[in-house]
């Protein structure tokens, strides 16, 4: 099994990664948010980043999405050393981020949220207006292409379930040309059925040729769709594995703390009650035929 200390850990034959981080670190003053983290995102594959709260997942998202710059290491897009100037620069390079809280307006219809901030228009000058029919038609067609069959794209997006809203955001990113899709805990606040719906569309994005970076704290969800797994702990890498190199049980064990969990189990075990020697002898005498 490969280990996270190897610079090339997790590399596989095939197309070059669209996004690659190698030994990337990020510091906020004296606080170490990330140190020595490596990750690859390839077209048609899902890279899962797992870790508890405070593990460094949010910082990693901010670096890939262009919100924050890295302080050390290498960040490459299409093999080119890169330092993004901001989220718009990331979008221009085909990197889209779907955040957990979603940037939607609940009372606006689905089609309006689908094009929010990028509305197509028709006409010129004072006659210029939004092309509503195009937006309705395109939103319905693109959602259907991802396998999302909504009865009415005019319904407020707030009436959709949490899983359906996540799926609309994924379809939107695909339509606007994303090549790399970062999903920030898309199943965190969802039940089992809704999580299954989202995971189906995560797989659909992969099958559409996108490189997906799936941030999660749930190893079961990760193992259902993941091709490789990056484990973070307190800002450092606790593991880097391909799917064929680790089982779900081992992934869950490492995610849960591994050896630290075993130590805790030993500490919490109840000691055997002390039985007075005389009482033990009397009890043994009673059991004799």
């Amino acid at each position: 099994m490969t280990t996270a200390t190897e610079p090339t850990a997790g590399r596989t034959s095939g197309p070059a990664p669209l996004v690659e981080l190698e030994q990337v670190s990020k510091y906020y003053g004296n606080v170490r948010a990330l140190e020595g983290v490596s990750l690859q995102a390839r077209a048609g594959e899902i890279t899962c980043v797992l870790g508890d709260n405070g593990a460094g997942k949010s910082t990693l998202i901010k670096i890939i999405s262009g919100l924050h710059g890295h302080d050390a290491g290498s960040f490459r897009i299409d093999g080119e050393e890169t330092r993004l100037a901001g989220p718009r620069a990331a979008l221009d390079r085909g990197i889209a981020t779907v955040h957990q809280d979603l940037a939607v307006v609940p009372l606006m219809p689905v089609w309006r949220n689908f094009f929010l901030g990028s509305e197509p228009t028709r006409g010129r000058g004072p006659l210029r207006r939004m092309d509503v029919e195009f937006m309705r038609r395109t939103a319905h067609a693109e959602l259907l292409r991802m396998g999302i069959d909504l009865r009415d794209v005019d319904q407020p997006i707030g009436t959709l379930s949490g899983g359906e809203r996540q799926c609309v955001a994924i379809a939107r990113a695909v339509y606007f040309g994303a090549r790399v899709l970062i999903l920030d805990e898309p199943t965190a606040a969802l039940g089992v059925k809704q999580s299954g719906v989202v995971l189906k569309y995560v797989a659909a994005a992969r099958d559409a040729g996108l490189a997906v970076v799936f941030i999660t704290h749930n190893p079961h969800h990760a193992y259902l769709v993941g091709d490789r797994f990056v484990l973070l702990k307190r800002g450092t890498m606790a593991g880097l594995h391909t799917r064929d190199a680790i089982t779900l049980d081992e992934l869950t064990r490492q995610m849960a703390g591994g050896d630290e969990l075993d130590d805790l189990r030993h500490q919490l075990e109840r000691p055997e009650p002390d039985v007075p020697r005389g009482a033990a002898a009397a009890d043994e005498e009673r059991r004799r035929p």
Side-chain angles (χ1 to χ4, degrees):
M1 183 180 296
T2 56
T3 62
T5 57
E6 299 171 355
T8 59
R11 289 176 184 254
T12 59
S13 59
L18 299 181
V19 167
E20 183 174 13
L21 278 68
E22 188 168 345
Q23 297 296 308
V24 163
S25 300
K26 177 65 180 178
Y27 304 97
Y28 298 100
N30 294 326
V31 177
R32 180 193 68 185
L34 283 181
E35 186 165 20
V37 172
S38 299
L39 174 149
Q40 294 183 356
R42 298 172 183 266
E45 292 186 1
I46 298 175
T47 299
C48 299
V49 179
L50 299 101
D52 286 327
N53 292 335
K57 303 190 302 296
S58 295
T59 302
L60 185 64
I61 292 172
K62 291 173 182 176
I63 290 174
I64 301 175
S65 64
L67 189 61
H68 290 177
H70 56 291
D71 295 323
S74 177
F75 177 23
R76 294 187 287 272
I77 300 177
D78 296 322
E80 176 187 351
E81 185 70 29
T82 303
R83 183 172 291 274
L84 296 171
R88 175 55 62 181
L91 285 171
D92 291 342
R93 299 293 298 270
I95 300 174
T97 304
V98 177
H99 294 283
Q100 184 178 345
D101 53 1
L102 299 178
V104 298
V105 182
L107 296 180
M108 283 186 176
V110 172
W111 62 266
R112 186 74 168 82
N113 277 277
F114 190 91
F115 284 94
L116 193 63
S118 301
E119 295 84 352
T121 58
R122 59 188 303 181
R124 296 182 178 181
L127 299 178
R128 188 176 182 183
R129 61 195 183 279
M130 291 193 303
D131 194 342
V132 175
E133 285 306 314
F134 174 82
M135 286 190 278
R136 283 199 183 104
R137 184 175 63 254
T138 303
H140 183 268
E142 291 301 315
L143 292 171
L144 193 61
R145 190 166 68 90
M146 290 289 292
I148 308 170
D149 189 8
L150 293 181
R151 293 183 300 274
D152 184 9
V153 293
D154 282 305
Q155 68 187 102
I157 199 168
T159 64
L160 302 183
S161 68
E164 289 172 329
R165 289 195 297 271
Q166 287 281 353
C167 297
V168 170
I170 293 171
R172 181 184 189 278
V174 173
Y175 173 74
F176 281 102
R179 298 185 304 136
V180 180
L181 182 62
I182 306 170
L183 301 173
D184 179 16
E185 300 273 12
T187 62
L190 304 179
V192 175
K193 185 175 181 179
Q194 291 294 320
S195 294
V197 170
V198 172
L199 292 175
K200 183 173 71 171
Y201 296 124
V202 171
R206 173 202 62 200
D207 295 341
L210 276 71
V212 181
V213 179
F214 180 23
I215 312 292
T216 182
H217 64 272
N218 190 317
H220 295 274
H221 291 171
Y223 203 79
L224 282 171
V225 296
D227 295 293
R228 57 173 54 84
F229 310 96
V230 176
L231 282 77
L232 298 182
K233 180 180 178 182
R234 298 174 186 172
T236 62
M237 293 189 66
L240 176 56
H241 312 281
T242 55
R243 184 184 180 85
D244 58 357
I246 192 169
T247 64
L248 173 59
D249 289 342
E250 179 60 21
L251 183 66
T252 303
R253 178 180 176 275
Q254 291 192 24
M255 174 67 186
D259 295 335
E260 292 182 4
L261 192 64
D262 293 336
D263 292 340
L264 180 61
R265 184 180 296 111
H266 290 310
Q267 295 174 24
L268 297 178
E269 285 180 351
R270 291 185 176 181
E272 293 293 332
D274 293 331
V275 180
R277 185 170 300 177
D283 186 58
E284 178 65 24
E285 183 67 25
R286 284 195 298 271
R287 286 200 296 268
R288 289 178 181 176

